[in-house]
Structures are given as C-alpha cells and as structure tokens.
Amino acid sequence: MRYEFHPTALQEYAEAVQFFSQSNQHQSFIDTIEKAVFQILAAPQRWPVVEGQIRRYLTSKFFYRVDSDRIIIAAVISCRRDPEAWKGRLSP
C-alpha cells in the first residue's frame, strides 16, 4: 500500500520540522513521523476511527484515511491546535 500527504498536512509537517530545527530536534521529529507512517502501513485498521473513515494515530495528532489502495495523511497537528482543523480536507 502507498501513502500520500494532503497538501495542507505536508505544509504542517514542513513547518513542524522547521520549528523543531530551532532546538536541533528536527531529526527526532522526522523519525517519529516516519515510524508512524510505517506502523500505519503495516496495520492501517489498527488505530481508532474518529469520524467517518478518518483514523487517528497519536504522536501529537496525526489524522489519516485508509482507502483501498492508499493511505492519505490528512493532518500533522499539535495537540494545542484546534482538533477540528483537519475536517474538510478529505471528502468521504
């Protein structure tokens, strides 16, 4: 199975890497996200559904949808942000 980032999620990911680079923790953050992606790919149905087909992998907050041929990462957001921010990025 393949995966892709929603464009806004990819922007959030890049911004988070930039933020963590200020304290030289960016590689740790990248490793955490990569580990999350590989765990999702290995068992995409494992994590809880939060709405419709959207599941959450909790690192901080990491929302994704499982389609038949791919996983779409909808958001990479901090727990301090609005937890509803990802809604509307993926149509059912």
Side-chain angles (χ1 to χ4, degrees), residues 1-2 44-45 53 65-72:
M1 186 173 285
R2 62 189 179 93
Q45 306 299 326
Q53 296 178 318
R65 182 177 78 199
V66 179
D67 288 343
S68 61
D69 64 336
R70 65 187 174 174
I71 293 169
I72 302 170

Side-chain angles (χ1 to χ4, degrees), residues 3-90:
Y3 74 94
E4 62 189 61
F5 281 85
H6 181 279
T8 306
L10 187 57
Q11 181 179 348
E12 290 165 345
Y13 180 49
E15 289 170 0
V17 170
Q18 187 174 28
F19 172 78
F20 284 111
S21 70
Q22 296 171 11
S23 59
N24 204 28
Q25 296 178 339
H26 58 288
Q27 190 59 53
S28 176
F29 177 74
I30 292 168
D31 293 346
T32 298
I33 297 301
E34 286 182 357
K35 179 181 174 185
V37 169
F38 288 122
Q39 287 183 334
I40 291 166
L41 290 171
Q45 306 299 326
R46 180 177 177 186
W47 286 273
V49 172
V50 293
E51 184 175 306
Q53 296 178 318
I54 305 296
R55 295 175 181 271
R56 178 178 64 202
Y57 181 100
L58 195 60
T59 53
S60 47
K61 287 215 175 155
F62 190 99
F63 293 91
Y64 67 97
R65 182 177 78 199
V66 179
D67 288 343
S68 61
D69 64 336
R70 65 187 174 174
I71 293 169
I72 302 170
I73 299 166
V76 178
I77 59 176
S78 167
C79 290
R80 291 179 238 167
R81 284 197 47 201
D82 177 8
E84 308 286 308
W86 60 271
K87 292 184 178 184
R89 294 184 186 176
L90 302 175

